[in-house]
């Protein structure tokens, strides 16, 4: 399989996970966290799926497409290892965290995932969902099967215990 | 439709076009031109589809994934407006040109497409194919329908007259 094929499969799995979460969450209260804004494509998808819901966005810098810039008061700029614990102290618990934190280097992406997994788990409301490009090993995160049709192993989907 | 949905549709249409060209071209001789290497995902797909065939790559710089770097003698670095006419003078006529030349700004991408269309047409062997992210208006380029299932308007597919 080419890298183009693999990339398409990962994006399809990501979209299918997010669409599934929108159905699962329904009108349960709580914000959505977008960890890694990037070009803003997924942020745009999240605001379509979750109209009217608070979506907090975390990244080092805002480099998104001009049409996908979040409101300034919803952006938390800086290193995820600092901004996520700080946000945890604000007290909100999320119904969904989407974390695309891979940087193209497998080892350093996995190391970041290991560092962030406990904080991400703590940021989720009981029964909240984590959709991510990295595997996360954390006892409070229960692995979920990907939605039907999504390519296994291309994306990772967890539910917070409780 | 979100930008994520639109992006996935464009990538699927791109992949479907390239796969269709590989079947249409068969063993007719001629190189493949990759205009815009980017991260190298599509280059990786092209070398999978066209094993053993010369693939010339054009870009301003080589910023691809380490696994997707073309051989040095197949790379033509510089502005497309200069490197493509120069390559034309070398005489080879391509069976396929893949041109992903959009830069995120619609007007300047369309202007680049207008500038390059005559050169791209001249670089194709009679009956050769052009798959591109930009619409091209050029009398020698006959618009082709996208392969079945591909989202119309997301990608552009032409056949050189002759």
């Amino acid at each position: 399989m080419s890298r183009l094929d693999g990339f398409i499969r990962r994006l399809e799995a990501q979209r299918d996970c997010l669409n599934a979460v929108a159905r699962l969450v329904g009108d349960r209260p709580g914000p959505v966290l977008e960890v890694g804004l990037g070009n803003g494509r997924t942020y745009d998808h999240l605001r379509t799926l979750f109209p009217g819901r608070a979506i907090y966005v975390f990244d080092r810098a805002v480099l998104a497409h001009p049409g996908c810039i979040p409101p300034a008061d919803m952006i938390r700029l800086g290193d995820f290892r600092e901004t996520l614990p700080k946000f945890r102290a604000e007290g909100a618990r999320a119904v969904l965290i989407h974390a695309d934190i891979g940087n193209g280097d497998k080892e350093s992406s996995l190391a970041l995932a290991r560092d962030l997994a406990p904080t991400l788990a703590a940021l989720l409301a009981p029964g909240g969902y984590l959709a991510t490009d990295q595997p996360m090993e954390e006892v409070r995160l229960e692995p979920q099967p990907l939605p039907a049709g999504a390519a296994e192993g291309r994306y990772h989907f967890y539910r917070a215990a409780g």
Side-chain angles (χ1 to χ4, degrees), chain A:
Chain A
M1 181 185 302
S2 75
R3 295 184 80 87
L4 179 64
D5 283 323
F7 184 58
I8 292 172
R9 289 198 183 201
R10 183 166 74 74
L11 288 171
E12 290 169 337
Q14 174 192 4
R15 176 195 58 193
D16 294 350
C17 279
L18 298 177
N19 293 356
V21 169
R23 291 188 296 271
L24 291 164
V25 163
D27 55 6
R28 283 170 42 202
V32 168
L33 310 190
E34 167 70 329
V35 179
L37 175 63
N39 54 44
R41 276 189 210 111
T42 306
Y43 172 71
D44 190 47
H45 197 72
L46 290 171
R47 66 185 176 181
T48 305
L49 286 178
F50 296 94
R53 194 179 290 259
I55 304 177
Y56 292 93
V57 174
F58 299 76
D59 212 332
R60 285 178 177 278
V62 174
L63 300 173
H65 185 277
C68 304
I69 309 283
D73 62 334
M74 302 304 283
I75 302 174
R76 301 293 185 270
L77 285 183
D79 189 310
F80 299 143
R81 293 178 174 93
E82 296 171 8
T83 53
L84 289 172
K86 194 172 166 192
F87 186 79
R88 175 69 188 87
E90 293 181 30
R93 301 280 208 107
V95 292
L96 165 64
I97 300 174
H98 172 252
D100 252 0
I101 58 175
N103 59 14
D105 179 77
K106 187 170 178 180
E107 287 312 313
S108 81
S109 301
L110 287 172
L112 180 59
R114 279 193 298 272
D115 287 354
L116 296 184
T119 306
L120 294 172
L123 280 162
L124 283 173
Y129 291 90
L130 170 64
T132 174
D133 65 341
Q134 302 298 317
M136 303 264 175
E137 291 190 27
E138 158 60 44
V139 66
R140 287 166 292 174
L141 294 174
E142 299 165 351
Q144 304 292 300
L146 294 186
E152 290 292 337
R154 296 276 159 193
Y155 217 70
H156 306 277
F157 193 27
Y158 303 92
R159 184 175 179 277

